[in-house]
Amino acid sequence: MSGKLIAGGALAALVATTLSAQTAAAGEGPADGPAEQIRVGIQTINGSGCSAGTAAVAANADNTAFTVTYSDYLAAAGAGASPIDFRKNCQLSLVLDVPSGFTYAIQSVDYRGYAYLADGASGLEQASYYHMGSAETTSSSQTFDGPYDDNWQVTDSKEWAELVWAPCGEKRNFNINTELRVYRGSSDGRTTSLMTMDSTDSAVSTQYHLAWKEC
């Protein structure tokens, strides 16, 4: 009986390996990223949370991700905050230079920042992204309730079948929209609540993890 189970397991593994290879060959499964380094740049930047010169992008050396770093992205409510400070947003249009023969999709995103929310206050982080010309937009949001005094992180991940791929052989900008909101709520009006998505800590950045597929 043991010999049959081992033989059966070996056969199942062989079938799975064969199917995986066939799927990858058909361009329907994950592929290693290009050996040539990809390049990412900002074409346009708009929004109250990212004035000119306060956002930067960079691709990882292994082509597995790119990061967006903000240096002046803060929403606040309460003492000392103006009525419009409760909401900050940023719209980025990025140009990704991808080597011929490959296309990419966003596998997951790590949004990070810091929040100080007084008791009774709350914060909201929301984000979306899409390829220019595509009707498919990926969105996520997360609320935070005070009292809160810590770094925060929101991770949005997709299954392979849910990924939205950039068109093969076409240059399409990749658009990112993010927003922070802080609500004073029932908190003491003498306190200030805030939420950031900036780089006061060098480890605090938004990271977009890439999936690759051969065209």
Side-chain angles (χ1 to χ4, degrees):
M1 177 66 71
S2 177
K4 290 181 180 179
L5 288 174
I6 293 173
L11 178 60
L14 177 61
V15 170
T17 301
T18 301
L19 289 175
S20 178
Q22 290 175 343
T23 299
E28 297 176 352
D32 292 333
E36 181 183 345
Q37 179 68 54
I38 66 171
R39 293 189 296 272
V40 186
I42 298 176
Q43 184 171 80
T44 61
I45 177 172
N46 292 287
S48 56
C50 58
S51 56
T54 65
V57 296
N60 288 16
D62 59 4
N63 289 338
T64 59
F66 66 87
T67 60
V68 180
T69 305
Y70 306 95
S71 60
D72 190 24
Y73 199 158
L74 182 151
S82 73
I84 62 174
D85 286 342
F86 85 98
R87 176 186 179 272
K88 293 296 175 72
N89 75 299
C90 183
Q91 300 177 337
L92 298 175
S93 185
L94 306 183
V95 178
L96 272 72
D97 190 359
V98 175
S100 176
F102 288 90
T103 186
Y104 71 93
I106 304 300
Q107 181 81 64
S108 64
V109 187
D110 298 323
Y111 302 98
R112 298 185 181 93
Y114 167 77
Y116 177 83
L117 302 171
D119 189 15
S122 62
L124 168 70
E125 176 275 337
Q126 57 187 15
S128 63
Y129 56 84
Y130 63 96
H131 301 288
M132 183 175 287
S134 173
E136 298 181 84
T137 299
T138 302
S139 304
S140 65
S141 64
Q142 179 69 46
T143 57
F144 300 84
D145 295 321
Y148 190 100
D149 182 10
D150 203 351
N151 290 332
W152 59 266
Q153 176 172 327
V154 175
T155 298
D156 174 35
S157 59
K158 301 297 178 186
E159 298 295 331
W160 181 263
E162 300 175 316
L163 298 182
V164 179
W165 298 93
C168 280
E170 298 182 28
K171 285 192 176 295
R172 300 279 186 90
N173 283 13
F174 182 68
N175 296 323
I176 297 171
N177 298 313
T178 57
E179 182 176 332
L180 295 177
R181 296 192 183 200
V182 175
Y183 299 100
R184 174 184 159 189
S186 61
S187 65
D188 188 330
R190 295 169 295 180
T191 63
T192 303
S193 294
L194 59 88
M195 194 167 180
T196 77
M197 199 186 293
D198 64 24
S199 58
T200 52
D201 179 341
S202 61
V204 178
S205 59
T206 302
Q207 190 163 51
Y208 294 79
H209 301 273
L210 300 170
W212 291 99
K213 186 169 67 171
E214 294 184 17
C215 294

